[in-house]
Amino acid sequence: MYEPTAEELKSIEAWFAEYDALADRGAIEELADLAVFPMNLATDVPGGHAAVRQWTREEYIEAMQQAMGGGTAGLDLESTRTPRFISENLVVVETEATMTIEGQRQTMHYADLLVRTEDGWAFQTMVQGGWGHGWPAAKRG
């Protein structure tokens, strides 16, 4: 099992600090610069089954503009992230987050696969329940 160094753990923290700052500002294009496309998504259809797809950069930008609008600043977002290194170049980061929207506290649980590129860490796969409204259910084979 791969054991990350303190420096590698700090590099993940720094990557998310940059991501969070961009998300606060609603800088969707710059967030897309932190990703590898096509991006894999795994979610589920509420009341149904899992759903998977890939997004192009353009699809990611469109979806994030709808989800984030002008940014996440002011949402009182609190996140606890747990990185699980598969190797020195692959890390699954599990996040538990709480945010406040219009006085209502909402919790989220999701995971991201970050891959080390020549330019540094990039996210390549997002896993979160509940995004699959209108998506076809995943099929085996």
Side-chain angles (χ1 to χ4, degrees), residues 11-13 16 41 43 59 69 73 89 100 110 119 124-125 136:
S11 72
I12 296 297
E13 289 175 18
F16 274 103
L41 290 98
T43 187
E59 289 170 318
N89 299 307
T100 304
Y110 57 93
D119 300 318
Q124 199 288 314
T125 299

Side-chain angles (χ1 to χ4, degrees), residues 36-97:
V36 172
F37 295 97
M39 178 183 292
N40 295 312
L41 290 98
T43 187
D44 57 7
V45 178
H49 298 282
V52 296
R53 69 182 339 166
Q54 288 187 322
W55 275 345
T56 64
R57 180 185 174 94
E58 294 75 22
E59 289 170 318
Y60 169 82
I61 289 170
E62 181 181 334
M64 290 302 106
Q65 285 174 334
Q66 291 175 12
M68 287 185 178
T72 59
L75 294 181
D76 192 24
L77 185 62
E78 302 167 19
S79 297
T80 301
R81 295 187 172 105
T82 306
R84 302 183 192 285
F85 279 74
I86 307 300
S87 72
E88 64 185 311
N89 299 307
L90 304 170
V91 60
V92 174
V93 181
E94 189 174 357
T95 301
E96 293 182 24

